[in-house]
Amino acid sequence: MRKTLLTMSMLAMTLTMSAAAPEGLITTQPEGELYGEVYTSAREFLVYNNMPGRTDNTGYNTRVVINGNDIYLHNIIRDYEGLDSWIKGTITDSVAEFPLPQPIYYAPGTAADGSDDTVLYAEMFKAVKSGNVKDIVADTENSSLRMRWDGKSLTQILPGSSTDDLDYDGLCGMANSDHVYRSYGSQNIRMTIWDSKPAEPSAEITTSKYTLTFQNQWGSTLGRRVNIGFTDNEMWIQGLNTYLPESWVHGTIDADGNVTLESDQYLGLTQDYFMFFMAAEYASGKYNFTPSVILTKDGDNYSANSAMLINLGNEKVNGGDGMDMQNVTLTPFVEAPMTPADPMLLELSFEDGLSMLVFMIMPLDVEDVPLDTDRLFFNVFVDDEIYTFTPEKEFVPETITDIPYTWDNGDSYLMAGGDGLFIAAVEGEVKSMGVQSFYLNGENRDNITRSAIMSDSFSGISIVTTDSPVVDTRYYNLNGIEVKNPAGGLFIKKTTRANGTIETTKTLIR
């Protein structure tokens, strides 16, 4: 975690041994018409510790440049970090052909450790068996990546040469200078130039706040605020997608007031993925897409007849915690003071000259009702005093005391791990560290309610009394989501005793 300041002498040690990038490496955007939103899917390959891994990666974004008959693809090896390069091909008779190998990465060697230059290539591979041994080798007979081109979409043409294992047929992989496969690659690549925009209601729409409550596939109850507005015979919902909170999902209202939300609603791009609203059913431990979900009206409330997903791509179920919603209900939100739940302390440690507190802030009130995350904040305490983080000491972007739940900086001593997990660190060995949540109630956000201060001590002063009987035990996953019947993994165990003390520990359940 500690920041390292490079001195001039250290910089001098890293002077490169060679500054000659390989011929053909394209690291600047080529001339031509740029298509910056290209929906892409492929079967991705990764070999780690000699174990192959394969997954269908759907709905990620890439870039394409077309200049006459020349065509360029950006970062053809999707999963290798640090790439920012293009491969070049030519379109002839509705086929785009990319002769390989082509260089896609270059890092010069350094004088400090005597390392050589690193050059990586995109190259075509196939599987070859010899007895019980299977090798991934360069496909010299089918050395080009060939793709059908219809003016909008590219679809890989598989050569059929990897007869020993068709899973590897047409594998466009990463190679070193000796044409040896280097763990990463893609196969069955499909790209479509994207020209759709997320739907939006008219600017004059009036919305009201609703509380969205749902369960995920693990049975945990979650919730948050959403905005709902109506135009003619349509309902518009804003806030279902926490990654794109400004995006809208819309549905058609029937004569009884029930609302049909169609699948395949495009919500926008985030973290280089195309995101969609999809209706689904959950059975036998998995989701399957359905054409629509119906919100049944009951007074001012609505309940969904099946699951709803915020999905990466629209080809297969692909999401994460908080992106799958079962047993959805929508109820009008009535403004009333809400007190945030107490933070959960996970670990207090002293390491590498830093005192560090790991904790969880859950976006719930004391009665497990969802809070507006943009109204939820917390303070960190050091030696029983509220602490202010500064750019000079803790490398935060700006001086900050009241820290928002939405804090997402990961390159400082105040780090967010996502889903309410935080790490706070300060230089030196202190006596104690703690945290307290607070919530801004009311339309003017001027009615502040606070949780208890949860703290721990390095000196052993904060000793939990264990002779008081346990009155409540709950388990949470590492994202802070309550798990009713934990099994097979690492969980956070929260024990409440009759005297009011709370113990929070990590526990491994087998």
Side-chain angles (χ1 to χ4, degrees), residues 150-209:
D150 64 6
K152 184 177 180 179
S153 299
L154 291 161
T155 305
Q156 184 181 2
I157 302 170
L158 301 179
S161 58
S162 189
T163 54
D164 285 340
D165 190 340
L166 286 176
D167 278 348
Y168 291 88
D169 188 37
L171 174 61
C172 180
M174 189 170 69
N176 62 15
S177 300
D178 296 322
H179 307 286
V180 176
Y181 177 55
R182 290 289 302 272
S183 301
Y184 296 86
S186 301
Q187 179 243 21
N188 196 23
I189 305 167
R190 307 174 306 281
M191 300 177 177
T192 300
I193 295 172
W194 195 259
D195 54 11
S196 298
K197 300 297 181 184
E200 294 183 355
S202 64
E204 292 76 27
I205 190 171
T206 300
T207 62
S208 301
K209 284 190 177 296

Side-chain angles (χ1 to χ4, degrees), residues 50-129:
N50 296 318
M51 296 295 293
R54 309 165 192 170
T55 182
D56 291 326
N57 192 2
T58 61
Y60 61 89
N61 186 40
T62 192
R63 289 182 280 164
V64 172
V65 168
I66 298 177
N67 188 353
N69 290 329
D70 292 334
I71 182 168
Y72 302 84
L73 305 181
H74 186 248
N75 285 358
I76 189 62
I77 306 298
R78 162 76 181 179
D79 287 337
Y80 187 73
E81 292 187 9
L83 285 190
D84 186 11
S85 60
W86 304 74
I87 63 170
K88 179 182 179 181
T90 303
I91 301 173
T92 305
D93 295 332
S94 300
V95 173
E97 183 166 350
F98 301 85
L100 300 180
Q102 291 189 37
I104 56 174
Y105 178 83
Y106 169 70
T110 61
D113 57 11
S115 62
D116 296 328
D117 293 0
T118 298
V119 183
L120 300 174
Y121 297 83
E123 189 162 356
M124 300 304 295
F125 288 89
K126 65 179 180 179
V128 175
K129 281 186 178 180

Side-chain angles (χ1 to χ4, degrees), residues 314-342:
N314 59 356
E315 301 168 70
K316 57 169 270 187
V317 175
N318 190 9
D321 283 342
M323 298 172 72
D324 66 308
M325 295 171 276
Q326 302 176 31
N327 303 319
V328 172
T329 60
L330 292 162
T331 57
F333 172 68
V334 178
E335 186 72 59
M338 305 172 74
T339 301
D342 294 340

Side-chain angles (χ1 to χ4, degrees), residues 23-74:
E23 183 178 356
L25 178 65
I26 306 172
T27 56
T28 58
Q29 181 182 309
E31 292 185 2
E33 185 170 2
L34 171 67
Y35 298 93
E37 295 185 5
V38 181
Y39 181 104
T40 307
S41 297
R43 195 173 198 199
E44 302 288 343
F45 288 72
L46 172 64
V47 177
Y48 182 73
N49 286 340
N50 296 318
M51 296 295 293
R54 309 165 192 170
T55 182
D56 291 326
N57 192 2
T58 61
Y60 61 89
N61 186 40
T62 192
R63 289 182 280 164
V64 172
V65 168
I66 298 177
N67 188 353
N69 290 329
D70 292 334
I71 182 168
Y72 302 84
L73 305 181
H74 186 248

Side-chain angles (χ1 to χ4, degrees), residues 219-235:
S220 298
T221 299
L222 303 171
R224 54 179 174 270
R225 300 284 180 273
V226 297
N227 297 317
I228 293 183
F230 299 90
T231 58
D232 297 330
N233 65 335
E234 285 191 314
M235 170 193 276

